Amino acid sequence: MLLFTGRNSICTQKVLVTLFEKGLSWDTKRVDLFKNEQYDPAYLKYNPKGVVPTLVHNDKPIIESTLICEYLDETFPSPSLVPPSPYDRAQMRLWSKQIDEGIFEATREISFSAMFREKLRNMTDEQRNIRFNNVGDPGRSARFRSTYERGTDSPYVLYAVASFEKMFNAMNETLSDGRKWLVTNNLTLGDINLMPFVARLEYLNMLDIFIDERPRVQAWWARSKELSSYKKAIPEMLDEEDLSTMKISGAKIREQIRARREEHLTQYKKAARVA
């Protein structure tokens, strides 16, 4: 197996956790996203969307990190990371769906505001335009440009904060029956798909803003960080530059994110009173 990765790529990290949980072996090829290598025609043959990760197994590419994780579980079924019950499998996929439909973009907006925005500013106009012009989806392009131009003042950052609030509320409620993990008492892909996104908030020094009053989420996160697969896939893969960049960049916008969360909670309470 060959895994195309990007530096400190959240979507790659969930595939790595799955690979380590399965005890598998693979080769790695890094794609430098800030040199626009993801748009190289040779890479686009594997992944027409020009994103990472891409898994190549038996010369066949598999794209989309959530699907890659399910592919790995089906191809290498032991140990299983999917619950046996059809109902529980549906619940597992709901968590993955929440990531793909909201939390991925939310993490991107916050991460972009914290650290990637500065990198983009330091690009040449030509390099920056390549990034803007290759986004593809108009909605995603609008988010990209808005966050680049306005940082945490972008309305998309407020949407990002709201997405995390919704997810952490759902987690705290789900875990209220005493279960260890989000679907059952056994680890599933629902948990794995979530871990890198929670980790990114922690590395940006913002996680406490969201979970300080959610002890059940705190306990889930503590269990997650104790997993050998998590340690190998995320902390041990990050170098000092990655850690320093996230810590310093996150500190610059930490209070803005806190303020946007308060703004969201105020709007939510007003809407609830009207309803």
Side-chain angles (χ1 to χ4, degrees), residues 44 110 162 204 248 253:
L44 291 174
I110 292 175
L204 290 172
I248 293 171
I253 68 165

Side-chain angles (χ1 to χ4, degrees), residues 8-21:
N8 198 7
S9 159
I10 296 177
C11 290
T12 299
Q13 288 167 350
K14 64 185 185 181
V15 173
L16 289 171
V17 175
T18 304
L19 286 164
F20 281 119
E21 276 292 326

Side-chain angles (χ1 to χ4, degrees), residues 44-57:
L44 291 174
K45 288 181 180 178
Y46 290 107
N47 193 323
K49 295 180 97 173
V51 296
V52 293
T54 298
L55 180 73
V56 182
H57 183 219

Side-chain angles (χ1 to χ4, degrees), residues 41-257:
Y43 181 67
L44 291 174
K45 288 181 180 178
Y46 290 107
N47 193 323
K49 295 180 97 173
V51 296
V52 293
T54 298
L55 180 73
V56 182
H57 183 219
N58 294 331
D59 296 323
K60 295 178 180 178
I62 302 96
I63 64 172
E64 301 292 343
S65 56
T66 298
L67 301 183
I68 293 172
C69 292
E70 291 208 15
Y71 172 86
L72 288 169
D73 194 78
E74 291 174 1
T75 306
F76 306 97
S78 182
S80 177
L81 296 172
V82 173
S85 156
Y87 176 79
D88 287 339
R89 286 198 297 274
Q91 300 312 299
M92 178 198 80
R93 291 186 175 110
L94 279 176
W95 288 107
S96 299
K97 190 176 176 66
Q98 189 168 177
I99 293 295
D100 292 343
E101 293 185 351
I103 297 301
F104 169 76
E105 288 186 334
T107 309
R108 184 182 62 207
E109 313 313 346
I110 292 175
S111 296
F112 192 92
S113 298
M115 53 189 179
F116 300 132
R117 188 178 182 220
E118 284 301 316
K119 286 190 176 184
L120 207 61
R121 282 174 167 171
N122 293 329
M123 287 181 173
T124 66
D125 288 342
E126 181 182 6
Q127 289 173 322
R128 192 161 46 246
N129 286 331
I130 288 173
R131 292 298 297 271
F132 283 138
N133 293 336
N134 280 280
V135 170
D137 176 73
R140 186 179 167 206
S141 179
R143 298 177 76 106
F144 197 39
R145 288 182 180 275
S146 174
T147 312
Y148 172 68
E149 292 166 0
R150 302 182 61 185
T152 56
D153 288 331
S154 167
Y156 295 109
V157 172
L158 182 61
Y159 303 157
V161 168
S163 292
F164 272 112
E165 274 295 303
K166 180 180 178 181
M167 183 190 73
F168 286 128
N169 272 336
M171 289 178 70
N172 214 47
E173 178 64 26
T174 297
L175 295 164
S176 65
D177 62 3
R179 69 183 72 182
K180 289 179 61 178
W181 299 104
L182 289 172
V183 182
T184 68
N185 277 320
N186 297 316
L187 179 73
T188 72
L189 293 178
D191 302 283
I192 290 173
N193 285 339
L194 207 56
M195 289 174 191
F197 297 88
V198 179
R200 174 58 61 85
L201 283 185
E202 182 166 87
Y203 283 121
L204 290 172
N205 195 27
M206 296 178 192
L207 182 59
D208 61 304
I209 294 173
F210 293 93
I211 71 169
D212 252 4
E213 298 176 358
R214 292 173 169 131
R216 291 186 286 270
V217 177
Q218 293 175 31
W220 173 90
W221 183 229
R223 281 191 291 274
S224 298
K225 291 195 291 183
E226 285 302 309
L227 294 172
S228 173
S229 57
Y230 170 85
K231 294 175 183 178
K232 291 176 181 177
I234 303 181
E236 293 177 17
M237 289 278 187
L238 297 170
D239 60 25
E240 286 303 317
E241 183 181 352
D242 294 323
L243 296 170
S244 175
T245 298
M246 288 188 286
K247 182 178 180 180
I248 293 171
S249 301
K252 292 178 181 177
I253 68 165
R254 174 181 166 88
E255 292 312 310
Q256 290 100 304
I257 294 299

